[in-house]
Amino acid sequence: MNVPADRKYTRSHEWAKQEGDLIVVGISDFAQESLGDVVFVEVPEAGREVEAGEAVAVIESVKTASDVYAPVSGKVVEANEALADEPELVNGDPYGAGWLFKIEPSDPAEFEALLGAEDYLKVIEEES
Amino acid sequence: MLVEMKRTPMYDEHLKLGGRMVDFAGWELPVQYTSITKEHLAVRKSAGLFDVSHMGEFFVRGPAALEFLRWVTLNDPAKLRVGRAQYSMLPNDKGGVVDDIYVYRTEEGVYLVVVNAANVAKDWDHLNRLAADFDVELEDASDSWALMALQGPEAEATLQPFTDVDLSTVRKNATLPLTIAGVPARIARTGYTGEDGFEIFAAPGDAPELWRKLVEAGAVPAGLGARDTLRLEAGFPLYGHELTDDTNPRCTPLAWVIKDKPYYGREAIEDASCAERMVGMMLERGIPREGYPVFAGGAPAGKVTSGTQSPMLKKGIALGWVREDVSAEGSDVEVEVRGKLMPARVVKTPFVSPVK
């Protein structure tokens, strides 16, 4: 299972990566694999204020609809508009072109408190 | 309590093929091998292979076998010649459905009834209770047969090299014993995908080898996920979703199955009014899911019993039960998708028909 060490993770299988002042958010390889073929992604609108742990996006696979939770609090500044036409990017490139949205964080400590790659791997092991 | 899940004879094949195993009615079966969408499209465009060994098989034999089956099923098995099969249902005495089934007349005086895996125990009890009044013998042969379904426009071409029977002469709903790849089997030209294809009954010991040969011949292994999206595109009900102990088959698109003859529970089925009807619905935007509420003009009008995004149409499709006054084809309704009312239209099923 691919778990890049250059970013942080949540127990609910989002990843969060620092990019300048922003936090880019997506779902992990484990999450996309569990969901199966992604057919629709609903991303949050730019400008929306979100709390860490709040359901802010929805990923629909053939089988089911799943919430995506904000790993950190702050303001959504951009969402991945390419997913409207190519939701399958979430399956094909979950850590790259399949990113979901970017947050301007309000509390940097929240990012630091997220899981590192090693701890996230343990979470996956518990669930597999 | 820990309950050991049951495994079909093809269990090791599923693992070798990378199947993602899930619990389905107590059976450990693959929901997918690679991708539900890819497996779905393989069945629509070439040929897919499903392990459906979890389904139950009952034999009905004896002097009153036909009389008994005419009493306990809604369709009329008197119309079946030897070597023919029909879709049917077991009615209860409360205007509902115990199960939807397939009845095969395999020999003179012998009928095979294939039932849903989740209902094997319930159906067995129900049939035995009603059989007390008839000179029949029931046999639960569920563990004696492996069952696979080879489905899709290339199903015939995929199977033909393994048998001497000219498959082009085997019509829809026909069934016959034959030899496939050197082992005894029974085929039926039936299925649950809306495509042409065969269901193949074989001995548990022979089935894995046959499975491997069909996969080597090009059949794409397909899991429960694709089986569900395919049957939904075809507008077929799934027991426990569209059909239950409380749903009246007279109020569904499957009402054709009810034939005018005496049968168990007939009064209850005929007396009930259809306050709600089972329909197909299509959405331009949004993906309907089981349990989503349906509205009409803002007022509650029913609910979705199965829904997905159609891999063929790339649109949300659903089966569900809605108020009679909005159940006609073309009626405008709304499906509540995560708090938002999405426009939907009542449409005729199947949503997708075979191309050829």
Coordinates of all heavy atoms in Angstrom, one line a residue, chain B residues 64-131:
Chain B
A64 N -47.2 -35.5 -7.5 CA -47.9 -34.2 -7.5 C -47.0 -33.0 -7.6 O -47.3 -31.9 -7.2 CB -48.7 -34.1 -6.1
A65 N -45.8 -33.2 -8.2 CA -44.8 -32.2 -8.2 C -45.3 -30.9 -9.0 O -45.2 -29.8 -8.5 CB -43.5 -32.7 -8.9
L66 N -46.0 -31.2 -10.1 CA -46.5 -30.0 -10.9 C -47.7 -29.4 -10.1 O -47.7 -28.1 -10.0 CB -47.0 -30.5 -12.2 CG -47.7 -29.4 -13.1 CD1 -46.8 -28.3 -13.3 CD2 -48.2 -30.0 -14.4
E67 N -48.6 -30.2 -9.6 CA -49.7 -29.6 -8.9 C -49.2 -28.8 -7.7 O -49.7 -27.7 -7.4 CB -50.5 -30.8 -8.4 CG -51.9 -30.5 -7.8 CD -52.5 -31.7 -7.1 OE1 -52.0 -32.9 -7.3 OE2 -53.4 -31.5 -6.3
F68 N -48.2 -29.3 -7.0 CA -47.6 -28.5 -5.8 C -47.0 -27.2 -6.3 O -47.3 -26.1 -5.7 CB -46.5 -29.4 -5.2 CG -45.7 -28.7 -4.1 CD1 -46.3 -28.3 -2.9 CD2 -44.4 -28.5 -4.4 CE1 -45.5 -27.6 -2.0 CE2 -43.6 -27.8 -3.4 CZ -44.2 -27.4 -2.2
L69 N -46.2 -27.3 -7.3 CA -45.6 -26.0 -7.8 C -46.6 -25.0 -8.4 O -46.4 -23.8 -8.2 CB -44.5 -26.3 -8.8 CG -43.2 -26.9 -8.2 CD1 -42.3 -27.4 -9.3 CD2 -42.5 -25.9 -7.4
R70 N -47.7 -25.5 -8.9 CA -48.7 -24.6 -9.4 C -49.3 -23.9 -8.3 O -49.8 -22.7 -8.4 CB -49.8 -25.3 -10.2 CG -49.3 -25.9 -11.5 CD -50.5 -26.2 -12.4 NE -51.0 -25.1 -13.1 CZ -52.3 -25.0 -13.6 NH1 -53.1 -25.9 -13.4 NH2 -52.6 -23.9 -14.2
W71 N -49.4 -24.6 -7.1 CA -50.0 -24.0 -5.9 C -49.1 -23.0 -5.2 O -49.6 -21.9 -4.7 CB -50.4 -25.1 -5.0 CG -51.0 -24.6 -3.7 CD1 -50.5 -24.8 -2.4 CD2 -52.3 -24.0 -3.5 NE1 -51.4 -24.3 -1.5 CE2 -52.4 -23.7 -2.1 CE3 -53.3 -23.5 -4.4 CZ2 -53.5 -23.1 -1.5 CZ3 -54.4 -22.8 -3.8 CH2 -54.5 -22.6 -2.4
V72 N -47.8 -23.3 -5.2 CA -46.9 -22.4 -4.4 C -46.2 -21.3 -5.2 O -45.5 -20.5 -4.6 CB -45.9 -23.3 -3.6 CG1 -46.6 -24.3 -2.7 CG2 -44.9 -24.0 -4.6
T73 N -46.3 -21.3 -6.5 CA -45.7 -20.3 -7.3 C -46.7 -19.4 -8.0 O -47.8 -19.9 -8.3 CB -44.6 -20.9 -8.3 OG1 -45.3 -21.6 -9.3 CG2 -43.6 -21.8 -7.6
L74 N -46.3 -18.2 -8.4 CA -47.2 -17.3 -9.1 C -47.2 -17.6 -10.6 O -48.3 -17.4 -11.2 CB -46.8 -15.9 -8.9 CG -46.9 -15.4 -7.4 CD1 -46.4 -13.9 -7.3 CD2 -48.4 -15.5 -7.0
N75 N -46.1 -17.9 -11.2 CA -46.1 -18.2 -12.6 C -46.7 -19.6 -12.8 O -47.0 -20.3 -11.8 CB -44.7 -18.2 -13.2 CG -44.7 -17.9 -14.7 OD1 -45.6 -18.2 -15.4 ND2 -43.6 -17.3 -15.2
D76 N -46.9 -20.0 -14.0 CA -47.6 -21.3 -14.2 C -46.6 -22.4 -14.7 O -46.4 -22.4 -16.0 CB -48.8 -21.2 -15.1 CG -49.6 -22.5 -15.1 OD1 -49.2 -23.5 -14.4 OD2 -50.7 -22.5 -15.7
P77 N -46.1 -23.3 -13.9 CA -45.2 -24.3 -14.4 C -45.9 -25.3 -15.3 O -45.2 -26.1 -15.9 CB -44.7 -25.0 -13.1 CG -45.7 -24.6 -12.0 CD -46.3 -23.4 -12.4
A78 N -47.2 -25.3 -15.4 CA -47.8 -26.2 -16.3 C -47.4 -25.9 -17.7 O -47.6 -26.7 -18.6 CB -49.4 -26.1 -16.2
K79 N -47.0 -24.7 -17.9 CA -46.6 -24.2 -19.3 C -45.2 -24.7 -19.6 O -44.7 -24.6 -20.8 CB -46.6 -22.7 -19.4 CG -48.0 -22.1 -19.2 CD -48.0 -20.6 -19.4 CE -49.4 -20.1 -19.3 NZ -49.5 -18.7 -19.4
L80 N -44.5 -25.3 -18.7 CA -43.1 -25.7 -18.9 C -43.0 -27.1 -19.5 O -43.5 -28.1 -18.9 CB -42.3 -25.7 -17.6 CG -41.9 -24.4 -17.0 CD1 -41.2 -24.6 -15.6 CD2 -41.1 -23.5 -17.9
R81 N -42.4 -27.2 -20.7 CA -42.1 -28.5 -21.2 C -40.8 -28.9 -20.6 O -40.0 -28.1 -20.0 CB -42.0 -28.5 -22.7 CG -43.3 -28.5 -23.4 CD -43.2 -28.1 -24.9 NE -42.7 -26.7 -25.0 CZ -42.1 -26.2 -26.0 NH1 -41.9 -27.0 -27.1 NH2 -41.7 -25.0 -26.1
V82 N -40.4 -30.2 -20.7 CA -39.1 -30.7 -20.2 C -38.0 -29.9 -20.9 O -38.1 -29.7 -22.1 CB -39.0 -32.2 -20.4 CG1 -37.5 -32.6 -20.1 CG2 -39.9 -33.0 -19.5
G83 N -37.1 -29.4 -20.1 CA -36.0 -28.6 -20.7 C -36.3 -27.1 -20.8 O -35.6 -26.4 -21.6
R84 N -37.3 -26.7 -20.1 CA -37.7 -25.2 -20.1 C -37.7 -24.7 -18.7 O -37.9 -25.4 -17.7 CB -39.0 -25.0 -20.8 CG -39.1 -25.4 -22.2 CD -38.3 -24.6 -23.2 NE -38.7 -23.2 -23.2 CZ -38.0 -22.2 -23.7 NH1 -36.8 -22.5 -24.3 NH2 -38.4 -21.0 -23.7
A85 N -37.5 -23.4 -18.6 CA -37.4 -22.7 -17.3 C -38.2 -21.5 -17.3 O -38.4 -20.9 -18.3 CB -35.9 -22.5 -16.9
Q86 N -38.6 -21.0 -16.1 CA -39.4 -19.8 -16.0 C -39.1 -19.0 -14.7 O -38.8 -19.6 -13.7 CB -40.9 -20.0 -16.1 CG -41.5 -20.8 -14.9 CD -43.0 -21.1 -15.0 OE1 -43.6 -21.5 -14.1 NE2 -43.5 -21.0 -16.2
Y87 N -39.1 -17.7 -14.8 CA -39.0 -16.8 -13.6 C -40.3 -16.9 -12.9 O -41.3 -17.0 -13.5 CB -38.7 -15.4 -14.1 CG -38.7 -14.4 -12.9 CD1 -37.6 -14.4 -12.0 CD2 -39.7 -13.4 -12.7 CE1 -37.5 -13.5 -10.9 CE2 -39.6 -12.5 -11.7 CZ -38.6 -12.6 -10.8 OH -38.5 -11.7 -9.8
S88 N -40.2 -16.9 -11.5 CA -41.4 -17.0 -10.8 C -41.2 -16.4 -9.4 O -40.2 -15.9 -9.0 CB -41.9 -18.5 -10.7 OG -43.2 -18.6 -10.2
M89 N -42.3 -16.5 -8.6 CA -42.2 -16.0 -7.2 C -43.0 -17.0 -6.3 O -43.9 -17.6 -6.7 CB -42.8 -14.6 -7.0 CG -42.1 -13.6 -7.8 SD -42.8 -11.9 -7.4 CE -42.2 -11.0 -8.9
L90 N -42.5 -17.0 -5.0 CA -43.3 -17.7 -4.0 C -44.1 -16.7 -3.2 O -43.5 -15.9 -2.5 CB -42.3 -18.4 -3.0 CG -41.3 -19.5 -3.6 CD1 -40.4 -19.9 -2.5 CD2 -42.1 -20.7 -4.2
P91 N -45.4 -16.8 -3.3 CA -46.2 -15.8 -2.5 C -46.4 -16.3 -1.1 O -46.4 -17.5 -0.8 CB -47.6 -15.9 -3.3 CG -47.7 -17.3 -3.8 CD -46.2 -17.7 -4.1
N92 N -46.6 -15.3 -0.2 CA -47.0 -15.7 1.2 C -48.6 -15.5 1.2 O -49.2 -15.2 0.2 CB -46.3 -15.0 2.2 CG -46.5 -13.4 2.2 OD1 -47.5 -12.9 1.7 ND2 -45.5 -12.7 2.6
D93 N -49.1 -15.6 2.4 CA -50.6 -15.5 2.5 C -51.0 -14.1 3.0 O -52.1 -13.9 3.4 CB -51.2 -16.6 3.4 CG -50.7 -16.5 4.8 OD1 -49.8 -15.7 5.1 OD2 -51.2 -17.3 5.6
K94 N -50.0 -13.2 3.0 CA -50.3 -11.8 3.4 C -50.2 -10.8 2.3 O -50.0 -9.6 2.5 CB -49.4 -11.4 4.6 CG -49.5 -12.3 5.8 CD -48.8 -11.8 7.0 CE -47.3 -11.8 6.8 NZ -46.7 -13.2 6.9
G95 N -50.2 -11.3 1.0 CA -50.1 -10.4 -0.1 C -48.6 -10.0 -0.4 O -48.4 -9.0 -1.1
G96 N -47.7 -10.7 0.1 CA -46.3 -10.4 -0.1 C -45.5 -11.6 -0.8 O -46.1 -12.6 -1.2
V97 N -44.2 -11.4 -0.9 CA -43.4 -12.4 -1.6 C -42.4 -13.1 -0.6 O -41.6 -12.4 0.1 CB -42.6 -11.7 -2.7 CG1 -41.8 -12.7 -3.5 CG2 -43.6 -11.0 -3.7
V98 N -42.4 -14.4 -0.6 CA -41.4 -15.1 0.2 C -40.0 -15.1 -0.5 O -39.0 -14.9 0.2 CB -41.8 -16.6 0.4 CG1 -40.8 -17.4 1.2 CG2 -43.2 -16.6 1.1
D99 N -40.0 -15.2 -1.8 CA -38.8 -15.1 -2.6 C -39.1 -15.0 -4.0 O -40.2 -15.4 -4.5 CB -38.0 -16.4 -2.3 CG -36.5 -16.2 -2.7 OD1 -36.1 -15.1 -3.1 OD2 -35.7 -17.2 -2.5
D100 N -38.2 -14.5 -4.8 CA -38.3 -14.7 -6.3 C -37.3 -15.8 -6.7 O -36.3 -15.9 -6.2 CB -38.2 -13.4 -7.1 CG -36.8 -12.7 -7.0 OD1 -36.1 -13.0 -6.0 OD2 -36.5 -11.9 -7.9
I101 N -37.8 -16.6 -7.7 CA -37.1 -17.9 -7.9 C -37.1 -18.2 -9.4 O -37.7 -17.4 -10.2 CB -37.9 -19.0 -7.2 CG1 -39.3 -19.1 -7.8 CG2 -37.9 -18.8 -5.7 CD1 -40.1 -20.4 -7.3
Y102 N -36.3 -19.2 -9.8 CA -36.4 -19.7 -11.1 C -36.8 -21.2 -11.0 O -36.3 -21.9 -10.2 CB -35.1 -19.6 -11.8 CG -35.2 -18.8 -13.1 CD1 -35.1 -17.4 -13.2 CD2 -35.5 -19.5 -14.3 CE1 -35.2 -16.7 -14.4 CE2 -35.6 -18.8 -15.5 CZ -35.5 -17.4 -15.5 OH -35.6 -16.7 -16.7
V103 N -37.7 -21.6 -11.9 CA -38.2 -23.0 -11.8 C -37.8 -23.6 -13.2 O -38.1 -23.1 -14.2 CB -39.8 -23.1 -11.7 CG1 -40.2 -24.5 -11.7 CG2 -40.2 -22.4 -10.4
Y104 N -37.1 -24.8 -13.1 CA -36.7 -25.5 -14.3 C -37.4 -26.9 -14.3 O -37.3 -27.6 -13.3 CB -35.2 -25.8 -14.2 CG -34.3 -24.5 -14.0 CD1 -34.2 -23.9 -12.8 CD2 -33.5 -24.0 -15.1 CE1 -33.4 -22.8 -12.7 CE2 -32.7 -22.9 -14.9 CZ -32.7 -22.3 -13.7 OH -31.9 -21.2 -13.6
R105 N -37.9 -27.2 -15.4 CA -38.4 -28.6 -15.5 C -37.3 -29.4 -16.2 O -37.0 -29.4 -17.4 CB -39.7 -28.7 -16.4 CG -40.3 -30.0 -16.4 CD -41.6 -30.0 -17.2 NE -42.3 -31.3 -17.2 CZ -43.3 -31.7 -18.0 NH1 -43.8 -30.7 -18.8 NH2 -43.8 -32.8 -17.9
T106 N -36.6 -30.2 -15.3 CA -35.4 -30.9 -15.8 C -35.7 -32.2 -16.4 O -35.0 -32.6 -17.4 CB -34.4 -31.1 -14.7 OG1 -35.0 -31.8 -13.6 CG2 -33.9 -29.7 -14.1
E107 N -36.7 -32.9 -15.9 CA -37.1 -34.2 -16.4 C -38.6 -34.3 -16.2 O -39.2 -33.5 -15.5 CB -36.5 -35.3 -15.6 CG -35.0 -35.5 -15.7 CD -34.5 -36.4 -14.6 OE1 -35.0 -37.6 -14.6 OE2 -33.6 -36.0 -13.8
E108 N -39.2 -35.3 -16.8 CA -40.6 -35.6 -16.6 C -40.7 -35.8 -15.0 O -40.1 -36.7 -14.4 CB -40.9 -36.9 -17.3 CG -42.4 -37.1 -17.5 CD -43.0 -36.0 -18.4 OE1 -42.5 -35.7 -19.5 OE2 -44.0 -35.4 -18.0
G109 N -41.6 -35.0 -14.4 CA -41.9 -35.2 -13.0 C -40.8 -34.7 -12.1 O -40.9 -34.9 -10.9
V110 N -39.8 -34.0 -12.6 CA -38.7 -33.4 -11.8 C -38.6 -31.9 -12.1 O -38.4 -31.6 -13.2 CB -37.4 -34.1 -12.0 CG1 -36.3 -33.6 -11.0 CG2 -37.5 -35.6 -11.7
Y111 N -38.6 -31.1 -11.0 CA -38.5 -29.7 -11.2 C -37.3 -29.2 -10.3 O -37.2 -29.7 -9.1 CB -39.7 -28.9 -10.8 CG -40.9 -29.2 -11.7 CD1 -41.7 -30.3 -11.6 CD2 -41.1 -28.3 -12.8 CE1 -42.7 -30.6 -12.4 CE2 -42.2 -28.6 -13.7 CZ -43.0 -29.7 -13.5 OH -44.0 -30.0 -14.4
L112 N -36.5 -28.3 -10.8 CA -35.4 -27.7 -10.0 C -35.9 -26.3 -9.7 O -36.3 -25.5 -10.6 CB -34.1 -27.7 -10.8 CG -33.0 -26.9 -10.3 CD1 -32.5 -27.4 -9.0 CD2 -31.8 -27.0 -11.4
V113 N -35.8 -25.9 -8.5 CA -36.1 -24.5 -8.0 C -34.9 -23.9 -7.5 O -34.2 -24.4 -6.6 CB -37.2 -24.6 -7.0 CG1 -37.6 -23.1 -6.5 CG2 -38.5 -25.3 -7.5
V114 N -34.5 -22.8 -8.2 CA -33.3 -22.0 -7.7 C -33.7 -20.8 -6.9 O -34.6 -20.0 -7.4 CB -32.4 -21.7 -8.9 CG1 -31.2 -20.8 -8.4 CG2 -31.8 -22.9 -9.5
V115 N -33.2 -20.7 -5.7 CA -33.7 -19.6 -4.8 C -32.5 -18.7 -4.4 O -31.4 -19.1 -4.5 CB -34.4 -20.2 -3.6 CG1 -35.5 -21.2 -4.0 CG2 -33.4 -20.9 -2.6
N116 N -32.9 -17.6 -3.8 CA -31.8 -16.6 -3.4 C -31.1 -17.2 -2.1 O -31.7 -17.8 -1.2 CB -32.5 -15.3 -3.0 CG -32.7 -14.5 -4.2 OD1 -31.8 -14.1 -4.9 ND2 -34.0 -14.2 -4.5
A117 N -29.8 -17.0 -2.1 CA -29.0 -17.5 -1.0 C -29.5 -17.1 0.4 O -29.5 -17.9 1.3 CB -27.5 -17.0 -1.2
A118 N -29.9 -15.8 0.5 CA -30.3 -15.3 1.8 C -31.6 -15.9 2.2 O -32.0 -15.8 3.4 CB -30.5 -13.8 1.7
N119 N -32.3 -16.6 1.3 CA -33.7 -17.1 1.6 C -33.7 -18.6 1.7 O -34.8 -19.2 1.8 CB -34.7 -16.6 0.6 CG -34.9 -15.1 0.7 OD1 -34.7 -14.5 1.8 ND2 -35.4 -14.5 -0.4
V120 N -32.6 -19.3 1.6 CA -32.6 -20.8 1.5 C -33.4 -21.4 2.6 O -34.3 -22.2 2.4 CB -31.2 -21.4 1.4 CG1 -31.2 -22.9 1.5 CG2 -30.5 -21.0 0.1
A121 N -33.1 -21.0 3.9 CA -33.7 -21.6 5.0 C -35.2 -21.3 5.1 O -36.1 -22.1 5.3 CB -33.0 -21.2 6.3
K122 N -35.5 -20.0 4.8 CA -36.9 -19.5 4.9 C -37.8 -20.3 3.8 O -38.9 -20.7 4.1 CB -36.9 -18.0 4.6 CG -38.3 -17.4 4.7 CD -38.3 -15.9 4.5 CE -38.2 -15.5 3.1 NZ -38.6 -14.1 2.8
D123 N -37.2 -20.3 2.6 CA -38.0 -21.0 1.5 C -38.2 -22.5 1.8 O -39.2 -23.0 1.5 CB -37.2 -20.8 0.1 CG -37.1 -19.4 -0.3 OD1 -37.7 -18.5 0.3 OD2 -36.5 -19.2 -1.3
W124 N -37.1 -23.1 2.3 CA -37.1 -24.5 2.6 C -38.3 -24.8 3.6 O -39.1 -25.7 3.4 CB -35.8 -25.0 3.1 CG -35.7 -26.4 3.4 CD1 -35.5 -27.0 4.6 CD2 -35.7 -27.5 2.5 NE1 -35.5 -28.4 4.5 CE2 -35.6 -28.7 3.2 CE3 -35.9 -27.6 1.1 CZ2 -35.6 -30.0 2.6 CZ3 -35.9 -28.9 0.5 CH2 -35.8 -30.0 1.2
D125 N -38.3 -24.0 4.7 CA -39.4 -24.2 5.7 C -40.8 -23.9 5.1 O -41.7 -24.7 5.3 CB -39.2 -23.2 6.8 CG -38.0 -23.6 7.7 OD1 -37.4 -24.7 7.5 OD2 -37.5 -22.7 8.5
H126 N -40.9 -22.9 4.3 CA -42.1 -22.5 3.7 C -42.6 -23.6 2.8 O -43.8 -24.0 2.8 CB -41.9 -21.2 2.9 CG -43.1 -20.8 2.1 ND1 -44.2 -20.1 2.6 CD2 -43.4 -20.9 0.8 CE1 -45.1 -19.8 1.7 NE2 -44.6 -20.3 0.5
L127 N -41.8 -24.1 1.9 CA -42.2 -25.1 0.9 C -42.5 -26.4 1.6 O -43.5 -27.1 1.3 CB -41.1 -25.3 -0.1 CG -40.9 -24.2 -1.1 CD1 -39.7 -24.4 -2.0 CD2 -42.1 -24.0 -2.0
N128 N -41.7 -26.8 2.6 CA -42.0 -28.0 3.4 C -43.4 -28.0 4.1 O -44.1 -29.0 4.2 CB -40.9 -28.4 4.3 CG -39.8 -29.1 3.6 OD1 -39.9 -30.3 3.4 ND2 -38.7 -28.5 3.3
R129 N -43.7 -26.8 4.6 CA -44.9 -26.7 5.3 C -46.1 -26.9 4.4 O -47.0 -27.6 4.6 CB -45.0 -25.3 6.0 CG -46.1 -25.0 6.9 CD -45.9 -23.7 7.7 NE -45.8 -22.6 6.8 CZ -46.8 -21.9 6.3 NH1 -48.0 -22.3 6.4 NH2 -46.6 -20.9 5.5
L130 N -46.0 -26.2 3.2 CA -47.0 -26.4 2.2 C -47.1 -27.7 1.5 O -48.1 -28.2 1.0 CB -46.9 -25.3 1.1 CG -47.1 -23.8 1.6 CD1 -47.0 -22.8 0.5 CD2 -48.4 -23.7 2.4
A131 N -45.9 -28.4 1.5 CA -45.8 -29.7 0.8 C -46.5 -30.8 1.6 O -46.8 -31.9 1.0 CB -44.4 -30.1 0.6

